Each structure stands twice: as C-alpha cells, then as structure tokens.
Amino acid sequence: MIFEQITTGGCQSYLVGCADTCAAVVIDPEKSQIDRYLALAMRHGLRIRYLLDTHTHADHFSASRQLARQLDAPLVMHRASPAPFVDMRLDDGEMLAVGRLRLQALHTPGHTMDSMCLIAEDRIFSGDTLLIGATGRSDLPSGDPEALYDSLFNHILHLDPALKVYPAHEYKGRSHSTIGQEITDNPRLQKRDRAEFVEMMRSLNLTMPTHITEALRTNMSGGKTVADLLSEAAERVPFMSLGELKSRVDAGDDELIILDIREREAYLTAHIPGARLLPRGQLELRVNQELPDPTRHILTCCELGLISTLAASTLRTMGYQRAVALDGGMKAWRAASYPVEHGPAQ
C-alpha cells in the first residue's frame, strides 16, 4: 500500500494507492489541497481512480466533486448521502476495489446519517465517527447520538484491536491510534451504558463550525462557495491600483466612470471624488439606464474590493469589456489618506 496523510489544520485526508497497479483513491479531500494531491500522486506514479468522502462534511469544503470532474473519476459516498452528484454509492459491507487493494465500507451513522468507515488491510479510515481520544459530534444536521452509540459499541469496537485508526479530524498533531488504544484511553468510550453515552453527547454544548451553512450547502448540492465565485471573477477582471486611480482623479480624467456599488448610506458618508452611486443589488436592473455606452472605461469600487470584483465580472459578462475593479476598495483608499467627498455627487 502506498499511503500519504495530508493535514489541513485539524482536517485529515489520505491518498491511498496500490503499488502493483498504480491505482489510487483520495479519502476526504480538502479543497485547498487539490494541487498537493495531484503532486503526491504524480510523485508516486499513481493515477487517482476514485474520490471518496466518508460523510457530508460540515466544517470544510470537500474537493471531491472538483477533482472528480478534473480527473474524470467517480465520486464515492455511502448510499445515504443526500448529494445528487455522487457517482458510486456504497452499502454496508460492500468493497471498493482500488487496483488490488480492497476498501470495505462500514455504515456508521451518528455523526451524520451517511457516515461510513473504510477498512483497508491494517487500518480503518474512521471519518468523524471515531476520533483519537474522542468521537464525532452528533448535534449537526442528521446527527443522532443513539445511532452513534450503535455504530461505535456494536460495530467499530468489535473490530480487531490492532487496526490502526486514521480519522478525518485530529487537532493535537497525532497521526493515528488503534482501536485497542481507543477502547482503553478514549474518555467518551468509557460511557458504555447507552443512556449515559447519549446524555453525554447531548450535553457537550459545542460551538458550531465557522462555515457550517456554506459547507453543508456546497458539499450537499455541489454549489459554489463564495471563495469560488470570487476566484472565478478575479480570473476574468483586471484591477486598477489605488495610486493609478488617484492620479486619474487628480488629473480630472472624465473618460473613466467610477462606479461606487456600496449602499447609499456608505456612499454618502465618503466616496471617491466624482464617483457615481449604483448599489450592487440594483446593478443588472439599472445598468442600461446608468451606463448606456458599453465601450466606456468603468471602474467598480466597494468597501473591501471583493463585491466590486464580482460587479466588474458581471459587467464584463453583460458586454462592458472595459470594466475593471479597484484593488483594495474604499478601506484601502481611506487608509492611504486619499481625498474623499461626502454627501450626494456634485
């Protein structure tokens, strides 16, 4: 077995390959590590044949769908996964053949309804069902502490104690454990009575993951993250520096239309001299009236330079091919002590 463990903060993902056939699977890939998975596969001479998520992640953005499209490889999850774009759905006890390697699926609901673990030779990829010194939480959407008890005490903990445990999360720098070590040392597994375990899980009172809504939305639907939208927009849009814009403002350049896309209150408080107000939410509906000449040079600005990037991209999509965005936004403009106007445009 060719094996690589990739750590991203507390998230753990794995490249597992067959040395004989050069076939590989990436388990729980994280979006920021796409290039790393590809580089590791190339270094080992592997072809990634499958992308697999052990469950629907709520705290980070899965790279499975993007890699599946990029590599023309199937995306694999448990049959209970709500994601409509899954290519191969595994049932409890079924195996995924990766060259001569066999990864056996074990349905382990509790953290989520679609959670599964994978047993491969001497190790188990335990997802968020069993962690090192802990278990996955059961208070997220589709979580169930009763089901988690059954998955742990009636299934996983009956496996070979020597099996190495490789979870989807680990926050203390440990690479792995064993089932035997977890049975002995894991404080949550000392609550062997069902009622006590369930009560403990319901009383954890953990904070919600930072990106839970966006992560669940994108991981379940295949939709785009805000970062995706911004990245795609930035690839299509040129930018103008603060210094270049100031020199044009100082020179009284009337060829450049400065379009402030913030809300009216922010615009009235302070805006770049000569800027017009056209809030982002009204852009598509008012663009023909406000910008009748699609050949004009247009600069969009907002507070931080993010929404203006999206707006400039939208304008280019609509035919305004000279639309650009201000690099840095009004916050950077004020920080540079560049001139501003107050109130409505003169």
Side-chain angles (χ1 to χ4, degrees):
M1 178 192 297
I2 298 172
F3 177 77
E4 292 279 0
Q5 183 172 12
I6 299 93
T7 299
T8 311
C11 299
Q12 305 294 320
S13 52
Y14 305 93
L15 174 70
V16 183
C18 171
D20 294 332
T21 65
C22 298
V25 58
V26 183
I27 300 172
D28 290 327
E30 205 272 350
K31 202 153 193 172
S32 67
Q33 298 282 14
I34 286 178
D35 288 340
R36 189 173 182 190
Y37 302 128
L38 298 176
L40 286 171
M42 182 178 296
R43 186 176 77 182
H44 289 292
L46 297 172
R47 179 186 174 190
I48 298 174
R49 298 294 302 273
Y50 300 100
L51 292 311
L52 187 147
D53 276 323
T54 56
H55 62 287
T56 300
H57 299 284
D59 64 341
H60 69 272
F61 304 112
S62 169
S64 290
R65 193 180 189 206
Q66 184 173 339
L67 276 169
R69 286 177 168 178
Q70 186 172 337
L71 300 173
D72 192 25
L75 192 163
V76 183
M77 293 187 74
H78 186 265
R79 184 163 297 281
S81 168
F85 48 80
V86 176
D87 300 299
M88 182 187 298
R89 297 177 182 271
L90 297 178
D91 273 319
D92 185 60
E94 294 181 347
M95 291 191 297
L96 181 68
V98 182
R100 292 192 174 92
L101 285 176
R102 297 294 183 268
L103 280 69
Q104 183 175 13
L106 181 65
H107 187 206
T108 53
H111 174 63
T112 62
M113 66 179 179
D114 61 342
S115 289
M116 67 175 175
C117 299
L118 297 154
I119 302 172
E121 295 184 352
D122 63 344
R123 63 201 63 196
I124 179 171
F125 298 99
S126 58
D128 276 4
T129 302
L130 176 61
L131 307 179
I132 300 175
T135 65
R137 61 196 297 168
S138 59
D139 60 338
L140 299 179
S142 83
D144 182 348
E146 297 272 2
L148 183 60
Y149 178 90
D150 288 330
S151 293
L152 290 167
F153 290 94
N154 297 333
H155 293 90
I156 292 179
L157 301 186
H158 289 286
L159 298 172
D160 183 353
L163 272 181
K164 298 174 183 176
V165 175
Y166 287 93
H169 287 88
E170 165 51 31
Y171 301 95
K172 297 183 179 179
R174 298 164 292 189
S175 65
H176 67 282
S177 177
T178 67
I179 288 180
Q181 287 174 319
E182 293 309 308
I183 291 173
T184 301
D185 301 331
N186 191 320
R188 291 190 190 175
L189 300 185
Q190 307 316 305
K191 300 284 188 180
R192 292 185 168 88
D193 176 79
R194 174 187 287 271
E196 289 184 3
F197 179 85
V198 170
E199 176 60 27
M200 172 189 66
M201 294 305 298
R202 287 177 173 160
S203 302
L204 291 178
N205 195 28
L206 302 172
T207 58
M208 286 292 118
T210 304
H211 304 290
I212 179 171
T213 300
E214 188 178 20
L216 287 174
R217 172 180 61 78
T218 57
N219 293 336
M220 290 175 65
S221 69
K224 294 182 178 180
T225 66
V226 173
D228 288 336
L229 293 173
L230 287 169
S231 176
E232 292 172 4
E235 291 173 358
R236 297 191 294 263
V237 171
F239 293 84
M240 184 175 291
S241 70
L242 297 171
E244 174 66 18
L245 179 58
K246 183 178 183 298
S247 67
R248 292 177 181 242
V249 170
D250 291 344
D253 181 1
D254 57 4
E255 293 298 317
L256 178 68
I257 297 176
I258 303 172
L259 207 61
D260 192 318
I261 61 167
R262 298 174 299 162
E263 293 302 313
R264 181 176 180 82
E265 182 177 351
Y267 173 84
L268 294 176
T269 300
H271 56 266
I272 296 170
R276 300 184 189 180
L277 172 64
L278 180 51
R280 175 63 185 90
Q282 303 175 31
L283 182 64
E284 289 85 350
L285 296 178
R286 291 175 50 190
V287 68
N288 293 329
Q289 173 188 350
E290 300 290 339
L291 303 170
D293 184 354
T295 68
R296 291 293 298 273
H297 196 186
I298 303 166
L299 177 136
T300 58
C301 67
C302 64
E303 186 63 21
L304 300 175
L306 301 178
I307 299 175
S308 58
T309 303
L310 296 172
S313 176
T314 297
L315 287 172
R316 285 187 163 244
T317 301
M318 299 178 73
Y320 296 87
Q321 293 303 310
R322 298 184 68 196
V324 302
L326 178 62
D327 190 17
M330 282 298 300
K331 183 176 181 179
W333 181 270
R334 292 193 302 270
S337 299
Y338 288 163
V340 297
E341 292 179 347
H342 306 281
Q346 300 300 316

